[in-house]
Amino acid sequence: MEGFGFNASPKLPAAEIRDLAALRWLHSGESVILFGPVGVGKTHVAQALGHQAVRQGANVRFTKTSRILAELAGGHADRTCDKRIRELIRPDLLILDDFAMRPLSASQAHELYELVSERQGRPLIITSNRAPSDWYPLFPNPVVAESLLDG
């Protein structure tokens, strides 16, 4: 976080980002959604928050959302999906980068729902180029989208 260029974009909420760096949200089991246009530093902030969490002793996993979806799909193919989800539940903080890049299949939406619901009370950081209100059309079932955003 120390190396983040807040001056690069005057629209960045520097005070809010610095507040996130205190990690109160992590200790209270809350999640964080970082969204905005390409190039504003969402991934950098997510990684910096993850690094800060590691400094405080947390177990953190950072991955692209597309990789998680591929990993879970592979779990269906070789019948290790439950094991793979347990591995994704384990970290104190899971960072999903580039969420909501494209429409999800029913299976992908279900797997994300399962992951998020199983991590209940275990924080996530999600980065996205889309505002959460724009995620609904990407899900084949709006109830799943609402449940995901509510979790």
Side-chain angles (χ1 to χ4, degrees), residues 54-98:
V54 168
R55 286 177 173 173
Q56 291 189 10
N59 182 341
V60 177
R61 179 167 176 186
F62 173 93
T63 187
K64 297 283 186 193
T65 303
S66 59
R67 288 193 188 128
I68 291 289
L69 293 172
E71 187 175 323
L72 293 175
H76 285 294
D78 66 6
R79 301 197 188 292
T80 61
C81 195
D82 288 341
K83 178 183 178 220
R84 293 176 191 218
I85 285 188
R86 281 193 309 274
E87 289 172 5
L88 294 168
I89 294 167
R90 187 172 302 130
D92 301 312
L93 172 61
L94 178 62
I95 302 172
L96 299 178
D97 193 35
D98 290 334

Side-chain angles (χ1 to χ4, degrees), residues 10-139:
K11 293 182 179 181
L12 281 177
E16 291 174 23
I17 293 171
R18 286 187 181 101
D19 186 52
L20 288 173
L23 302 182
R24 286 183 291 277
W25 56 273
L26 178 71
H27 302 299
S28 64
E30 297 176 46
S31 294
V32 173
I33 298 174
L34 304 170
F35 66 93
V38 174
V40 297
K42 299 176 298 294
T43 298
H44 182 102
V45 169
Q47 289 174 333
L49 292 172
H51 186 79
Q52 188 75 6
V54 168
R55 286 177 173 173
Q56 291 189 10
N59 182 341
V60 177
R61 179 167 176 186
F62 173 93
T63 187
K64 297 283 186 193
T65 303
S66 59
R67 288 193 188 128
I68 291 289
L69 293 172
E71 187 175 323
L72 293 175
H76 285 294
D78 66 6
R79 301 197 188 292
T80 61
C81 195
D82 288 341
K83 178 183 178 220
R84 293 176 191 218
I85 285 188
R86 281 193 309 274
E87 289 172 5
L88 294 168
I89 294 167
R90 187 172 302 130
D92 301 312
L93 172 61
L94 178 62
I95 302 172
L96 299 178
D97 193 35
D98 290 334
F99 189 84
M101 292 292 284
R102 61 182 74 85
L104 300 168
S105 69
S107 175
Q108 290 172 324
H110 174 75
E111 289 161 356
L112 282 173
Y113 171 78
E114 288 296 317
L115 174 61
V116 171
S117 64
E118 289 291 327
R119 285 191 58 83
Q120 193 68 27
R122 299 182 71 86
L124 293 166
I125 295 177
I126 295 174
T127 71
S128 181
N129 293 333
R130 302 173 193 252
S133 60
D134 295 334
W135 295 355
Y136 291 93
L138 302 175
F139 286 83

